[in-house]
Amino acid sequence: MVSMKDISVACGVSVATVSKALNDHKDIGEETKQRIRQTAKEMGYFPNSSARALKTNKSYNIGVLFVDEVPQSGLTHDYFANILDSFKIAVEAKGYDITFINCNHMRKGRLSYLEHSKFRGVDGVLIACVNFQDPEVVELAKSDIPVVTIDYPFKNRLAVMSDNAKGIQDLLKYIYSMGHRRIAYIHGQTNNDNVTGSRVKFFVKTAKELGLKIPKEYIIPGKYRDIPNSAKNAGRLLNMKERPTCIIFSDDYSAIGGMNEIKARGLNIPDDISIAGYDGSNIAAQIEPQLTTIVQDTRMIGRIAADNLINMIENPESTKPEHIVIEGLLRKGKSVRQIGEK
Amino acid sequence: MVSMKDISVACGVSVATVSKALNDHKDIGEETKQRIRQTAKEMGYFPNSSARALKTNKSYNIGVLFVDEVPQSGLTHDYFANILDSFKIAVEAKGYDITFINCNHMRKGRLSYLEHSKFRGVDGVLIACVNFQDPEVVELAKSDIPVVTIDYPFKNRLAVMSDNAKGIQDLLKYIYSMGHRRIAYIHGQTNNDNVTGSRVKFFVKTAKELGLKIPKEYIIPGKYRDIPNSAKNAGRLLNMKERPTCIIFSDDYSAIGGMNEIKARGLNIPDDISIAGYDGSNIAAQIEPQLTTIVQDTRMIGRIAADNLINMIENPESTKPEHIVIEGLLRKGKSVRQIGEK
DNA sequence: TGAATTTACGAAAACGATTAAGTAAACAAC
DNA sequence: GTTGTTTACTTAATCGTTTTCGTAAATTCA
């Protein structure tokens, strides 16, 4: 590990000079600067992030808090994995690295999320896919560390959110425009999250605006990404006397569960019954029939989150914490049929 | 940020004593030790990882190199995302954190993967889902940093690999046992990777052992996780005069492409033609008919990689770099039918 | 009681960088 | 020729830890 010390002796200058030369300070002669940089390169020098972070209090490291301790979550969650993927690319392009925040013990004792973030000295944190009611999450979000949350708005904090209101609205309006009047919605479980609440609220609101009257039994609390569960709930709807002509599922995976149940009963999609999903996962575009869904713009969400977080880190004064809403896009697919004349 | 200095003045001792007390050295009196720990807790102290890493040369941080610069890769790759998920849980349980390694420029210049790893001072690196021919990857793998690779064996380096030989063998034998004799294999593209090579080799070998003669045209180079591509290749097989009775796809996603093509031709799975996938993704278990596939044990792969890497980090002498092979499991599903009498 | 050992702590250097403050030399101005 | 201003560096402190070495006091041993 060649350090500035090594370069300084090799060049016959002080370490201070080396540091300044490498950091392009103006009070070093052009000739010396070049000589130092040259030897640095020749000796294979590169900085030590710990030393630099210790001195400057800046780590060029961003913490990511995904739900942890539970396997099969966060990273394996299609929607969040895509957001993280895009977030990662954006921050790395600006010279930042990503470290996961967790609540595990180190050699001694357990650290809270906030403590862990400070322990690692991260410059900012992305919070996604967690229980936002968790006191530790709240503590971190309200701390003095720059924070951006996904799909949940904290007051006076940066948030990037998928436009669930408009999404469900677009979806419902489209289904309505295809002639459907009996439309059911199997939504995800809501633990006070912003997402489900928003979707259900705007589903009801839009239905009212369209003059639809949706029976209570048409709105079913289900579970996200639970195929057997959604199959069961779809079954309940299919058993009704007044069966819906279209079922909206909480997400694309759940829609697949519904498809299975529907097909198992010998019904055809969309001839006998129409369905729609939510998310716009890759798989949804490829199954037969292609699923009608709202494509959430994960690429944009991740990028915007990254750009704004870094902006907040680098210009704390000039940035004010907004709640940014990113629209999704209706993918019509083939799973909702036209009813009646056009 | 309360430091040891603060605690030392609060307790009227030296920083050295505080450090030793907190690290449970034996040359501190029990009473003082307790007093110091108590005040540390009261003052909300926790260590500074940069300072500690700087001094001890140990970061309790593990680098993860996934393919980067390309969106929609690595993190969004089901198989690797699951491995990373499990790896993350395992290392965090032992007090290590995870930082992604990439080749991006920091404030100045681009860093190679190795340089980046040293810059961050990671204690070890997980390499997965990359082009193992990349000189920079090779450089990192052969460096003095403890490294574990997934699904690719470097000489004298730790590797954890899914048992592709046994996997394809089990799959083929099962299909054979169901009475199939005309079996095709649309495999993934091979850029000198270990995985595809191994699978194709053992497909051929096992076929020979079973006395099958597989026409050349039955073994088709396709692309991993490319649904349209696999649909096209499945179409080629379906057009043949001597059509196979079963098609093995490179992975579960590709199998879905095949399913689409087959259904589009009005054929039924498995009555008219049987298919199988590879991976054991969640989705494969839930589609209709349930897909016959090899479930790769991602949970185990991640955990074993983590345990062995940490072991190598903490006991460099007593550990020798093995190539560990993790078996998958045949999931029979419903997509391969019995031909002839049982 | 005197010497040897143990116990409990402190002083200080070090890890690798950054940066404020200081200084010698060169140059310019009048 | 004195003074003032740049220019191009160096000195030294500092970030928060860890750790080696030293040492005074307490304890044990003979």
Side-chain angles (χ1 to χ4, degrees):
Chain A
M1 289 292 300
V2 24
S3 71
M4 287 191 171
K5 187 85 188 302
D6 303 318
I7 300 177
S8 78
V9 311
C11 289
V13 296
S14 72
V15 276
T17 306
V18 175
S19 173
K20 291 184 190 170
L22 261 25
N23 289 309
D24 206 19
H25 285 209
K26 53 254 145 270
D27 64 341
I28 301 295
E30 195 53 41
E31 193 200 358
T32 336
K33 204 178 275 186
Q34 291 311 325
R35 183 163 47 97
I36 290 174
R37 293 184 161 185
Q38 182 60 30
T39 19
K41 180 170 281 182
E42 285 170 8
M43 298 179 71
Y45 169 83
F46 46 88
N48 176 311
S49 70
S50 297
R52 182 178 283 174
L54 176 59
K55 184 63 184 149
T56 62
N57 233 4
K58 180 116 174 52
S59 63
Y60 280 90
N61 208 354
I62 289 181
V64 170
L65 177 58
F66 263 40
V67 66
D68 65 341
E69 295 182 302
V70 187
Q72 293 290 355
S73 293
L75 282 174
T76 63
H77 191 308
D78 209 55
Y79 174 66
F80 289 108
N82 274 282
I83 290 177
L84 179 58
D85 190 58
S86 142
F87 181 84
K88 175 174 182 284
I89 290 172
V91 300
E92 287 177 350
K94 296 201 173 181
Y96 287 79
D97 286 330
I98 281 183
T99 298
F100 284 110
I101 299 302
N102 61 77
C103 65
N104 275 307
H105 51 292
M106 321 166 314
R107 282 184 281 170
K108 34 192 164 297
R110 184 183 178 290
L111 255 43
S112 76
Y113 293 139
L114 177 57
E115 288 170 341
H116 193 259
S117 302
K118 294 200 167 182
F119 168 62
R120 284 295 175 190
V122 295
D123 298 332
V125 177
L126 168 76
I127 307 182
C129 190
V130 298
N131 172 12
F132 285 101
Q133 313 299 315
D134 181 342
E136 280 200 12
V137 173
V138 175
E139 179 198 35
L140 175 57
K142 307 224 154 160
S143 74
D144 52 346
I145 300 180
V147 159
V148 57
T149 52
I150 301 292
D151 283 342
Y152 190 91
F154 281 103
K155 213 174 285 176
N156 290 322
R157 289 293 178 277
L158 198 56
V160 180
M161 304 191 290
S162 191
D163 194 342
N164 287 289
K166 180 166 186 303
I168 197 77
Q169 200 170 320
D170 286 354
L171 186 58
L172 185 52
K173 281 187 178 168
Y174 169 70
I175 294 169
Y176 180 89
S177 80
M178 293 292 277
H180 292 263
R181 295 299 178 264
R182 298 207 303 278
I183 304 167
Y185 182 22
I186 303 175
H187 60 79
Q189 79 281 33
T190 164
N191 15 352
N192 286 326
D193 65 342
N194 189 261
V195 176
T196 314
S198 188
R199 289 187 194 168
V200 173
K201 179 175 155 197
F202 277 84
F203 175 81
V204 172
K205 181 163 177 288
T206 307
K208 194 169 289 175
E209 286 169 9
L210 291 171
L212 296 172
K213 53 181 206 302
I214 311 277
K216 279 253 167 352
E217 319 87 72
Y218 273 21
I219 301 183
I220 299 183
K223 285 163 104 176
Y224 283 110
R225 306 193 327 135
D226 186 327
I227 292 186
N229 183 277
S230 72
K232 202 189 67 195
N233 282 323
R236 282 173 51 193
L237 288 168
L238 294 175
N239 288 337
M240 291 183 182
K241 279 194 300 266
E242 275 279 274
R243 175 199 280 178
T245 61
C246 182
I247 304 175
I248 301 176
F249 290 88
S250 56
D251 58 282
D252 294 344
Y253 270 71
S254 296
I256 290 174
M259 289 178 86
N260 290 344
E261 179 66 23
I262 291 167
K263 288 181 185 169
R265 297 185 177 217
L267 300 175
N268 179 278
I269 302 169
D271 293 340
D272 300 317
I273 186 161
S274 297
I275 65 168
Y278 207 106
D279 274 356
S281 61
N282 283 333
I283 197 77
Q286 306 289 357
I287 50 177
E288 275 294 320
Q290 194 193 43
L291 191 63
T292 301
T293 190
I294 296 290
V295 184
Q296 301 197 78
D297 196 345
T298 53
R299 193 70 53 85
M300 186 68 89
I301 293 173
R303 203 168 61 72
I304 295 287
D307 290 350
N308 281 75
L309 181 59
I310 290 179
N311 196 38
M312 169 148 294
I313 290 169
E314 300 186 343
N315 314 88
E317 303 312 329
S318 73
T319 323
K320 62 172 179 303
E322 293 175 274
H323 293 171
I324 300 168
V325 174
I326 308 287
E327 286 189 15
L329 193 68
L330 172 69
R331 186 157 65 203
K332 294 186 178 172
K334 308 268 186 201
S335 69
V336 174
R337 79 172 257 235
Q338 174 77 46
I339 291 187
E341 78 293 338
K342 219 165 191 170
Chain B
M1 288 291 299
V2 24
S3 71
M4 288 189 171
K5 186 87 188 300
D6 303 316
I7 300 176
S8 79
V9 311
C11 288
V13 296
S14 74
V15 278
T17 306
V18 174
S19 172
K20 291 181 191 170
L22 261 25
N23 289 310
D24 206 19
H25 285 209
K26 54 252 144 270
D27 64 342
I28 300 295
E30 195 53 41
E31 192 201 356
T32 337
K33 204 179 275 187
Q34 291 311 325
R35 183 163 48 97
I36 290 174
R37 291 184 164 186
Q38 182 60 31
T39 21
K41 180 171 280 182
E42 285 170 8
M43 298 179 71
Y45 169 83
F46 47 88
N48 176 312
S49 70
S50 296
R52 182 177 282 174
L54 176 59
K55 188 61 185 152
T56 62
N57 233 3
K58 180 118 174 51
S59 62
Y60 279 90
N61 208 356
I62 290 181
V64 169
L65 177 58
F66 262 41
V67 67
D68 65 342
E69 295 183 305
V70 186
Q72 295 289 355
S73 293
L75 282 174
T76 63
H77 192 308
D78 209 55
Y79 174 65
F80 290 109
N82 275 282
I83 290 177
L84 179 59
D85 189 58
S86 143
F87 181 83
K88 174 174 181 285
I89 290 170
V91 299
E92 287 177 350
K94 297 202 174 181
Y96 287 79
D97 286 331
I98 282 183
T99 297
F100 284 109
I101 298 302
N102 60 78
C103 66
N104 274 308
H105 51 292
M106 321 167 313
R107 283 184 280 169
K108 35 192 163 297
R110 185 183 178 291
L111 254 42
S112 76
Y113 294 139
L114 177 57
E115 287 170 342
H116 193 260
S117 302
K118 296 201 165 183
F119 168 62
R120 285 295 176 191
V122 296
D123 298 332
V125 178
L126 168 76
I127 307 182
C129 189
V130 298
N131 173 13
F132 285 101
Q133 313 299 314
D134 181 341
E136 281 200 11
V137 172
V138 175
E139 180 198 36
L140 175 57
K142 306 225 155 159
S143 74
D144 52 347
I145 300 180
V147 159
V148 58
T149 52
I150 301 292
D151 282 343
Y152 190 92
F154 281 104
K155 214 174 287 177
N156 290 322
R157 290 292 179 278
L158 198 56
V160 179
M161 303 190 291
S162 190
D163 194 343
N164 287 290
K166 181 165 184 306
I168 196 77
Q169 201 170 319
D170 286 354
L171 187 58
L172 185 51
K173 281 186 178 167
Y174 168 70
I175 294 169
Y176 180 89
S177 79
M178 293 293 276
H180 292 263
R181 295 298 177 265
R182 297 207 305 276
I183 304 166
Y185 182 22
I186 304 176
H187 62 78
Q189 79 282 31
T190 164
N191 16 351
N192 285 328
D193 64 342
N194 190 261
V195 176
T196 313
S198 189
R199 289 188 194 168
V200 172
K201 180 175 155 198
F202 277 84
F203 175 83
V204 171
K205 181 164 175 290
T206 308
K208 193 168 289 176
E209 285 168 11
L210 291 171
L212 295 173
K213 54 182 207 301
I214 311 275
K216 278 255 170 346
E217 317 86 72
Y218 273 22
I219 301 183
I220 299 184
K223 285 163 105 174
Y224 282 110
R225 306 194 325 135
D226 185 327
I227 292 187
N229 182 278
S230 72
K232 202 189 67 194
N233 282 321
R236 281 173 52 193
L237 288 167
L238 294 175
N239 288 337
M240 291 183 181
K241 278 194 300 265
E242 275 278 276
R243 175 200 280 177
T245 63
C246 181
I247 304 175
I248 300 176
F249 290 88
S250 56
D251 57 283
D252 294 344
Y253 269 70
S254 296
I256 291 176
M259 289 178 86
N260 290 344
E261 180 67 23
I262 291 166
K263 288 181 185 170
R265 296 185 178 217
L267 299 175
N268 179 280
I269 302 170
D271 292 340
D272 300 317
I273 185 160
S274 297
I275 65 168
Y278 207 106
D279 273 357
S281 62
N282 283 334
I283 197 75
Q286 307 288 357
I287 49 177
E288 275 292 322
Q290 195 194 40
L291 191 64
T292 301
T293 189
I294 295 292
V295 184
Q296 302 198 76
D297 195 346
T298 53
R299 193 69 53 86
M300 185 67 90
I301 293 173
R303 203 167 59 72
I304 295 287
D307 290 351
N308 281 74
L309 180 59
I310 289 178
N311 195 38
M312 170 148 292
I313 290 169
E314 299 185 344
N315 313 88
E317 303 311 328
S318 73
T319 322
K320 61 172 180 302
E322 291 176 277
H323 293 171
I324 300 169
V325 174
I326 308 288
E327 286 189 13
L329 192 70
L330 173 68
R331 185 156 67 203
K332 293 186 178 173
K334 308 270 186 201
S335 70
V336 174
R337 80 172 257 236
Q338 175 77 45
I339 291 186
E341 78 294 339
K342 218 161 191 170

